[in-house]
Amino acid sequence: EMPEPPAKSFWIEHFVSTPGNHFYCSVPASFLADSFNLIGLPDLPFQKEALALILSGEFREENVNVEASAMTLFGLIHARYITTPRGE
């Protein structure tokens, strides 16, 4: 089970503010940490580590493979989030 996510994830804030990512919105860490919201998503390499990085509450340099999986995973969860009433 994942620990309680921080109120604000600096990884998410950094990612959505990166040039070229203007079409992403900030997804609440609580949405990302809820395993129900991950059901049916494709398995990614380093998925567990990628989710931990996203939810860490900080931005840090990480293994390039973990970082790539984190960006993909956030994109998948973001696509799901924006179709919910909270994300509209």
Side-chain angles (χ1 to χ4, degrees), residues 29-69:
S30 59
F31 187 89
L32 291 151
D34 186 342
S35 60
F36 179 79
N37 296 321
L38 306 177
I39 293 173
L41 294 179
D43 289 331
L44 299 171
F46 306 102
Q47 185 164 336
K48 189 178 218 177
E49 295 88 347
L51 185 59
L53 174 62
I54 294 168
L55 294 173
S56 68
E58 59 188 43
F59 183 80
R60 63 181 188 269
E61 292 300 317
E62 194 61 59
N63 173 306
V64 68
N65 295 321
V66 173
E67 184 67 30
S69 286

Side-chain angles (χ1 to χ4, degrees), residues 16-37:
V16 300
S17 66
T18 299
N21 290 348
H22 60 276
F23 49 86
Y24 286 103
C25 66
S26 186
V27 175
S30 59
F31 187 89
L32 291 151
D34 186 342
S35 60
F36 179 79
N37 296 321

